[in-house]
Amino acid sequence: MNTSFGFPEAQGLYDPSLEKDSCGVGFVAHIKGKPSHQIVLDADQILRNMDHRGACGCESNTGDGAGILTGLPVKFMAKVAKDNFGIDLPEAGKFAAGNIFLPKDESEREHCRKVIGELIIKHGQKLIGWRVVPVDADGADIGPTARSGEPVIEQLFVAAADGLNQEEFERKLYLIRKQASHALRGDTKLKQALLFYVCSLSTKVIIYKGMLTPAQVMPYYRDLNDPDYQTHLAMVHSRFSTNTFPSWDRAQPLRFMSHNGEINTLRGNSNWMRAREGNAASEIYGDQLPGLFPVVEPHCSDSGTFDNCLEFLLMNGRTLQEAVMMMVPEAWQKHETMSEDKRGMYEYFSTMMEPWDGPASIVFTDGHYIGATLD
């Protein structure tokens, strides 16, 4: 059985609805936001030093998953666009790029590109082009199991419509990505539908990840070794899927966070998010809001489910700090030294959302702020 394209069916003592994991997380950032390639190298060192926090299967060179999230490297992307498309990119904030996992079958791959292209046009944005991400599976010594589930990885470039500011553009990209995921990962006509996955599509961050060991990320992704690849922050993750099945899409970092631990309240959290969709309203999305449902996508790990919810809150106007404190509140009820204002904030949030309880350690970023919290 090839388990790399999705969860196995329930069998014996195994139930895919009960999957959990435990991992290693870390980040590095320049406090004043100055980008450099050294940040990438420092992040790689952190990741390699967390090898013990990751896991591998029956092969020492097949990892449970590892990756790196960085700020969008504008200088590097400008060079890539010039080399691949012969154009000058719009100014920072007016274009987005993201790494997309695609099926190995060319016809299915072309179908995925077509659907995404149509959604970009539908939402009034401009498709710049697709670029094949240079990878080196042999140089990174990727194991047979990882190779069996390895997707084709391409980089999508999108330009903002005239008159949109960066945040408005980000919200359009969210609509495009969610609707593409709903249409393609659930397409029963695609034999390799679960190979389709949007790692990120943003004006602010980009993610390079996969079913890799910590030491394989830099050798596998050639982009990360280019001196022009400069960032002001980087988040890394080494996955230990304690009782989950690894795959390329479940590797982290996710779009806004990395996670170590377990979400023990996951089923209740997921059910409540689905229940709220019936009476949800948004001043930002208006009648487009149903196009984002379901918020919690199928085939996600507990971390992926958390990330789905966090992204939904952010795109609907919450700040990063507010959203994280809403989802992972402190034990505020009997905290004797907590201020009344802070206690009141948590009490107010408790009327809107139940806590996503762990034990869990979560690192989060929106490309501007970066931080960490414990439940």
Side-chain angles (χ1 to χ4, degrees), residues 3 17 47 69 131 151 160 333 367:
T3 62
S17 68
L47 184 58
L69 174 153
R131 168 210 179 214
Q333 291 93 336

Side-chain angles (χ1 to χ4, degrees), residues 129-197:
W130 293 83
R131 168 210 179 214
V132 176
V133 176
V135 298
D136 188 356
D138 292 332
D141 188 27
I142 305 300
T145 304
R147 287 178 191 248
S148 71
E150 182 184 17
V152 172
I153 307 172
E154 297 189 12
Q155 203 164 69
L156 172 62
F157 288 76
V158 182
D162 296 339
L164 282 187
N165 63 36
Q166 187 173 14
E167 295 308 317
E168 291 168 337
F169 185 33
E170 284 284 339
R171 293 182 179 117
K172 291 289 187 183
L173 294 169
Y174 178 48
L175 266 173
I176 292 166
R177 185 189 60 71
K178 286 292 281 190
Q179 292 179 7
S181 295
H182 295 158
L184 293 170
R185 283 178 70 88
D187 190 339
T188 56
K189 295 179 182 178
L190 297 180
K191 294 181 179 180
Q192 298 178 346
L194 291 182
L195 281 183
F196 174 81
Y197 179 80

Side-chain angles (χ1 to χ4, degrees), residues 66-251:
I68 179 171
L69 174 153
T70 72
L72 193 67
V74 175
K75 181 179 179 181
F76 174 75
M77 291 300 174
K79 181 174 72 173
V80 164
K82 197 72 172 178
D83 293 344
N84 287 267
F85 313 127
I87 64 168
D88 294 320
L89 287 175
E91 64 182 279
K94 298 292 186 181
F95 78 92
N99 291 331
I100 318 294
F101 292 166
L102 296 168
K104 298 177 181 180
D105 182 85
E106 173 55 36
S107 63
E108 293 193 6
R109 205 156 57 240
E110 181 56 35
H111 175 69
C112 292
R113 293 193 206 98
K114 182 174 181 289
V115 168
I116 293 175
E118 290 172 349
L119 284 169
I120 290 170
I121 294 171
K122 174 184 175 182
H123 292 291
Q125 309 311 302
K126 305 170 186 176
L127 173 63
I128 295 175
W130 293 83
R131 168 210 179 214
V132 176
V133 176
V135 298
D136 188 356
D138 292 332
D141 188 27
I142 305 300
T145 304
R147 287 178 191 248
S148 71
E150 182 184 17
V152 172
I153 307 172
E154 297 189 12
Q155 203 164 69
L156 172 62
F157 288 76
V158 182
D162 296 339
L164 282 187
N165 63 36
Q166 187 173 14
E167 295 308 317
E168 291 168 337
F169 185 33
E170 284 284 339
R171 293 182 179 117
K172 291 289 187 183
L173 294 169
Y174 178 48
L175 266 173
I176 292 166
R177 185 189 60 71
K178 286 292 281 190
Q179 292 179 7
S181 295
H182 295 158
L184 293 170
R185 283 178 70 88
D187 190 339
T188 56
K189 295 179 182 178
L190 297 180
K191 294 181 179 180
Q192 298 178 346
L194 291 182
L195 281 183
F196 174 81
Y197 179 80
V198 182
C199 297
S200 62
L201 184 59
S202 172
T203 65
K204 300 177 182 180
V205 300
I206 192 166
I207 298 166
Y208 288 79
K209 68 176 187 176
M211 199 169 156
L212 308 166
T213 67
Q216 290 173 335
V217 175
M218 289 283 283
Y220 182 77
Y221 285 112
R222 296 178 186 173
D223 286 356
L224 297 173
N225 298 279
D226 192 309
D228 288 331
Y229 194 111
Q230 300 176 358
T231 179
H232 63 296
L233 57 79
M235 176 196 297
V236 292
H237 187 275
S238 174
R239 188 166 187 249
F240 196 125
S241 53
T242 314
N243 55 356
T244 58
F245 284 86
S247 67
W248 284 74
D249 60 304
R250 292 185 206 114

